[in-house]
Amino acid sequence: MTCETTDETTGETPSAASVVQGPGGGWRSYGGARRSTRAVRVRVSAVLVGATVLAVLLVPPLVRLDQQAVDLALKLRPPSWAHPFGTDDVGRDLLLRCVYGLRVSLLVGLAAALTATVVGTAVGALAGALGGWVDRLVMRAVDTLASVPHLLMGVFIVAMFRPGVWPVVVSVALTHWISTARIVRAEVLSLRSRPYVDAAVSGGASRWRVTVRHLLPAVLPQAGLAAVLMVPHAMWHESALSFLGLGLPSHTASLGTLIQGARSSLLAGDWWPTLFPGLFLIVPTLALAGLAGAWRERINPRRRSELML
């Protein structure tokens, strides 16, 4: 005796590969299980991103403690009620330092991502709209820059300046606009063949007007998605540069400088000065990447339909 299940919305019988047994013993489609898991992941990512934003906005003005205050009597205290994340090698509260470090790293990531998105969108739109030898020349330059490792190019850029916030922002922006330029160029090339673009050209619209009025607004969702995906990457890039001593000054609390300053403590067996800044870097960046992935599925109908199967 066989038991068949039917889809309530379509009346069709799903295949065995697309049906899984639910926790209550019932049966549900595999696509429904995947959608449910994806929805939970998006909710968790949204909560973590919201907590991150609230922490960097509310903790500095509400907590009246100086995150630079040194108390050698509290040097390298393990986590406790008074100091949930412990203290660092000069007695500073590590929880407060991590929040300030996350604030700096997030601001650097946002500024770098916004700058890189503007540059990449302008270059990609120019190459895609003009086409011909301009497109070939620009894309060959983009391919040449893409062949150089990002971190190596970033080290070369920041080495020409004194350690500071803006050299890091410029370094990350100049090494991360390439992917946005490629995405925008591909979108512009696909939009150039659309009927409404042909109609605008036939009506006497100049190439500049077509680009500004029709092409750029259509590629803004993809450019915005690229910017959101770039923020975690930029935060990791800043942390790597600061860890190498080439990014932010050592007295500035960023996640990279906190991890860099905790190396000696880790070698001595004190794990908390390294663990908690690392978690503050990993968790928010994964949450941002999760939200960006959900956005990508929403604006890409083909990918969304594949994930619903």
Side-chain angles (χ1 to χ4, degrees):
M1 180 177 180
T2 61
C3 179
E4 294 184 351
T5 59
T6 59
D7 193 327
E8 297 179 357
T9 59
T10 62
E12 297 177 355
T13 302
S15 62
S18 63
V19 177
V20 296
Q21 189 170 12
W27 295 88
R28 58 178 178 172
S29 68
Y30 182 65
R34 293 185 63 183
R35 288 194 296 274
S36 177
T37 303
R38 190 165 63 253
V40 172
R41 186 172 67 247
V42 171
R43 293 192 186 100
V44 172
S45 298
V47 170
L48 292 175
V49 171
T52 299
V53 173
L54 290 177
V56 300
L57 290 180
L58 298 181
V59 170
L62 293 179
V63 178
R64 299 299 182 180
L65 299 177
D66 184 7
Q67 53 100 12
Q68 296 284 10
V70 174
D71 188 355
L72 295 178
L74 300 176
K75 176 181 178 181
L76 290 175
R77 294 286 180 90
S80 62
W81 285 109
H83 302 282
F85 287 3
T87 60
D88 63 6
D89 56 350
V90 292
R92 294 173 294 194
D93 184 77
L94 197 57
L95 174 58
L96 194 58
R97 294 276 291 172
C98 285
V99 172
Y100 273 89
L102 177 61
R103 184 184 191 186
V104 172
S105 297
L106 185 60
L107 290 176
V108 170
L110 288 172
L114 180 61
T115 306
T117 301
V118 172
V119 174
T121 301
V123 174
L126 176 69
L130 296 181
W133 65 269
V134 175
D135 182 28
R136 291 192 295 270
L137 180 63
V138 170
M139 296 315 297
R140 294 298 79 75
V142 168
D143 292 340
T144 302
L145 292 175
S147 65
V148 182
H150 288 175
L151 185 58
L152 180 62
M153 186 182 298
V155 168
F156 175 77
I157 294 173
V158 297
M160 297 187 297
F161 304 94
R162 297 180 60 184
V165 173
W166 288 112
V168 175
V169 170
V170 172
S171 169
V172 176
L174 292 181
T175 55
H176 289 74
W177 62 270
I178 297 172
S179 58
T180 304
R182 286 175 167 170
I183 293 172
V184 172
R185 171 186 175 268
E187 288 293 318
V188 170
L189 289 178
S190 66
L191 292 171
R192 285 175 56 183
S193 59
R194 299 292 176 87
Y196 68 90
V197 175
D198 293 336
V201 173
S202 301
S206 64
R207 184 174 296 179
W208 170 257
R209 182 178 179 84
V210 170
T211 302
V212 174
R213 292 290 301 272
H214 300 286
L215 299 181
L216 279 180
V219 302
L220 285 182
Q222 293 290 346
L225 173 61
V228 175
L229 286 170
M230 204 180 302
V231 172
H233 198 179
M235 292 176 63
W236 279 92
H237 201 95
E238 178 275 321
S239 299
L241 291 175
S242 298
F243 181 81
L244 295 174
L246 298 171
L248 301 181
S250 58
H251 61 81
T252 302
S254 76
L255 297 177
T257 57
L258 291 179
I259 297 173
Q260 195 271 344
R263 289 183 302 173
S264 58
S265 303
L266 183 62
L267 294 176
D270 300 320
W271 49 269
W272 58 92
T274 304
L275 174 66
F276 292 114
L279 290 178
F280 266 63
L281 176 62
I282 294 172
V283 174
T285 53
L286 289 179
L288 282 171
L291 287 183
W295 185 7
R296 178 174 55 189
E297 296 165 9
R298 187 176 185 84
I299 67 176
N300 190 338
R302 178 179 299 177
R303 179 175 176 83
R304 185 169 67 248
S305 62
E306 291 174 354
L307 292 172
M308 291 178 65
L309 294 177

